[in-house]
Amino acid sequence: MTTGSGPPGHLGRLARGGIIGFAGSVVNGLAALIVVVMVARGSSDEAAAGTVFVAMALFNIAFRVAGLGSEVGLVRSLASVERNRWREQVLMSTAVNRTLAAGVLLAAGTVAGRSPVAHMLGGGADQGDLTLTLVVISPFIPVAAVAVLVFARTRAHETMVPTVVLDRIARPAAQMVFLGGATALGAGPAAMTLAWALPYALVLPPAIVWSRRLASPEEGGQEDAATVRADYWRFTAPHAVTTVLQVLLRWADILLVSALVDPAAAAVYTAATRLLLAGNFLNLAVVQAISPMVGRELSAGRNSRAAELFGTGTAWLVSVTWPYYLLVIGFSSTLMGLFGASYSDGSAVLVILAAAMLVAAAVGPVEAVLLMAGGSRLSLLDNAVALVVQLGLDVVLVPRWGISGAATAWALSLLITNLAPLAQVHRRLGIHPFGPGHLRSAGLAVFLVGLPAVVTGLTSDPGLPLAVVVGASTLAAYLVALRTQARLLHLDELMAALRPRSGRTRHQPPVPKISSTDSGAPPINGEEANSR
């Protein structure tokens, strides 16, 4: 509970976490987009930019795979039990030791296999630049993997501040500064990649210090360490495979485009997809804010409160992301011009994937809810099916349709990874994210933002100034209309979260331990039992 001013209860905590995460996500999304623009415009040609983007894709796959699913496992384990310092230390050492070992092995494998990998991803051509780039980036794989766990530990304490300050603001800002210096000096792909990767190492030490300050103050009783580790891995092990599948879904298509077409095509495809994913960081903000809170409510059997968090978070997500994706659809050609005249072929990719992202945003952080309910095996199945579909369609469509084929394959996989968990959460818990506020915000976005943008894009060839004017005016009208729906969307909680907090203390009562198996739904209290 809280005292003092500000939004009370679980929606207030979600609002505060969402606001902080949203601010960081806006900065991070813009910074990520600026980084891609800097690489595209600062490289000697599209092939050189493609080399950097391919190295980035391999790096993201490697360090996420090294994490072994421990990010979600830590948040769930630390949020669903009564916290004590001993248990927290056991969980952290278990996760970090495995992750560090896996990261070092993947880094060594990257260096050892650099030549055949570079030859394969270069479409069979000589790729000396990519070979050197892989060597440069490999030491940062274990560093980035461990950093993910450190930030996850801080979020388990229901604070987004370290993640936002260090991972979403400081690191991208350093990347922009270093890349700016590299491009000013006329650096090649390897030096540009080093400038991009170095900030991962710079944010890790302060993140460790910050996480230790947030450590549980209570020593607590010591349990059997082997039992604690077994419970942790019972949930995390299936999710480790899911993590591999998810990261491949996100990045493997860039590698396939480079291998099946060439690195120049991969550069155009990367520019288009990263422009679109600038809006997806907003989804990440909601997911990271809502996950520990939903896990805590489900572990206590408060399914109705978990449903309220789920629905409110989704309504906020739709309110923010739908206007962005609709503007991307309307001004796709203009936006691709940011990367250079030769990147115009990416406009079709933007339209295809933005349409899929509208659906993904509409169902909200559904996979996070499924995972917090113990559905790691279901999530594994969903992502496995989606990956098979995506990779199979990539092999068939990319040689025929080029980067539009890769976008079509990814769009279909996005539908699978969002609609399947939606059905599973509803069947497992009896909850869904849809409500009057959700539908109202979606309708306002379509009519006030989407239609003017699409009509302008179809009836003229808008340059960037016209796109900015239309976008700004439609967004202003949308925000005015959205304010009239404050009660439906719980905007008062959001506004209260923005006000300074004074005299506020937090009390977190002990919560029964949630089972880490996948055998069924969380316990149901009397209220939920009667309603069912």
Side-chain angles (χ1 to χ4, degrees):
M1 62 182 293
T2 62
T3 61
S5 62
H10 54 298
L11 288 182
R13 293 197 305 275
L14 176 61
R16 291 191 296 275
I19 285 290
I20 295 171
F22 172 77
S25 292
V26 170
V27 174
N28 198 7
L30 290 174
L33 180 58
I34 292 171
V35 164
V36 175
V37 173
M38 292 174 71
V39 172
R41 290 191 170 271
S43 299
S44 57
D45 53 30
E46 291 176 28
T51 297
V52 178
F53 292 142
V54 167
M56 289 179 178
L58 284 170
F59 173 77
N60 277 277
I61 291 173
F63 90 76
R64 286 292 180 181
V65 169
L68 302 173
S70 294
E71 179 184 9
V72 174
L74 273 178
V75 171
R76 183 177 184 271
S77 298
L78 294 175
S80 60
V81 297
E82 183 178 0
R83 296 176 181 139
N84 66 74
R85 187 179 303 171
W86 178 87
R87 184 180 180 88
E88 189 169 334
Q89 289 174 345
V90 170
L91 290 170
M92 280 301 297
S93 63
T94 300
V96 169
N97 291 342
R98 295 286 183 91
T99 296
L100 186 60
V104 171
L105 287 175
L106 285 171
T110 301
V111 174
R114 62 191 183 278
S115 296
V117 170
H119 183 75
M120 178 183 64
L121 295 178
D126 178 60
Q127 285 292 315
D129 284 340
L130 182 55
T131 301
L132 179 59
T133 300
L134 295 179
V135 174
V136 167
I137 207 171
S138 59
F140 298 96
I141 293 173
V143 173
V146 171
V148 169
L149 301 185
V150 175
F151 288 122
R153 180 187 187 181
T154 64
R155 293 196 302 275
H157 288 274
E158 294 187 10
T159 175
M160 290 291 297
V161 176
T163 298
V164 169
V165 171
L166 295 176
D167 191 48
R168 297 190 186 168
I169 296 178
R171 178 179 58 78
Q175 287 175 325
M176 289 188 293
V177 171
F178 294 167
L179 271 173
T183 54
L185 295 173
M192 294 180 71
T193 303
L194 176 62
W196 176 81
L198 184 59
Y200 281 96
L202 298 180
V203 300
L204 180 57
I208 293 174
V209 173
W210 207 326
S211 72
R212 287 178 176 174
R213 290 179 178 176
L214 291 171
S216 302
E218 300 295 332
E219 288 291 346
Q222 294 190 5
E223 312 167 48
D224 179 46
T227 301
V228 173
R229 295 188 184 99
D231 289 342
Y232 169 77
W233 284 114
R234 191 174 294 118
F235 170 82
T236 304
H239 189 66
V241 182
T242 304
T243 299
V244 175
L245 299 177
Q246 289 174 333
V247 74
L248 289 175
L249 284 168
R250 173 71 60 95
W251 294 98
D253 49 355
I254 296 175
L255 305 182
L256 282 173
V257 169
S258 181
L260 296 175
V261 186
D262 55 42
V268 178
Y269 184 73
T270 303
T273 54
R274 298 318 105 172
L275 175 62
L276 189 65
L277 287 177
N280 201 45
F281 285 106
L282 304 173
N283 182 48
L284 180 63
V286 174
V287 169
Q288 291 184 337
I290 202 174
S291 293
M293 298 177 63
V294 169
R296 189 168 291 274
E297 300 300 340
L298 291 178
S299 70
R302 296 189 288 264
N303 287 27
S304 60
R305 289 181 64 170
E308 187 176 13
L309 287 167
F310 184 23
T312 302
T314 302
W316 291 345
L317 186 62
V318 169
S319 299
V320 175
T321 59
W322 270 48
Y324 177 78
Y325 294 135
L326 291 168
L327 288 173
V328 166
I329 291 175
F331 300 118
S332 57
S333 298
T334 302
L335 292 172
M336 286 305 299
L338 295 172
F339 304 99
S342 58
Y343 284 76
S344 59
D345 290 344
S347 59
V349 173
L350 283 182
V351 174
I352 294 169
L353 287 176
M357 289 292 186
L358 289 173
V359 177
V363 302
V366 62
E367 187 172 21
V369 175
L370 179 63
L371 288 171
M372 292 300 107
S376 58
R377 289 176 175 81
L378 288 174
S379 178
L380 170 61
L381 178 61
D382 297 339
N383 283 276
V385 171
L387 182 62
V388 170
V389 170
Q390 179 175 339
L391 296 183
L393 289 176
D394 276 334
V395 172
V396 174
L397 298 179
V398 170
R400 292 172 172 79
W401 297 353
I403 58 177
S404 294
T408 301
W410 192 13
L412 291 176
S413 73
L414 278 173
L415 296 180
I416 294 172
T417 55
N418 283 277
L419 297 182
L422 179 67
Q424 291 156 354
V425 165
H426 186 264
R427 183 174 63 249
R428 192 182 186 93
L429 301 175
I431 64 177
H432 61 77
F434 307 116
H438 175 284
L439 300 176
R440 192 71 56 84
S441 59
L444 290 174
V446 169
F447 286 104
L448 296 179
V449 179
L451 285 180
V454 171
V455 170
T456 303
L458 290 177
T459 58
S460 63
D461 185 16
L464 186 59
L466 178 58
V468 170
V469 170
V470 173
S473 58
T474 56
L475 285 175
Y478 172 72
L479 290 174
V480 171
L482 201 64
R483 191 65 184 90
T484 65
Q485 310 300 317
R487 185 172 182 179
L488 276 177
L489 296 173
H490 298 283
L491 295 184
D492 290 338
E493 283 85 352
L494 275 175
M495 298 306 297
L498 291 172
R499 291 195 291 266
R501 292 175 287 162
S502 58
R504 176 173 292 167
T505 60
R506 290 173 58 187
H507 171 65
Q508 295 172 334
V511 180
K513 178 181 176 183
I514 187 171
S515 170
S516 54
T517 66
D518 195 35
S519 58
I524 302 175
N525 62 12
E527 175 191 351
E528 256 74 44
N530 291 335
S531 67
R532 289 191 177 188

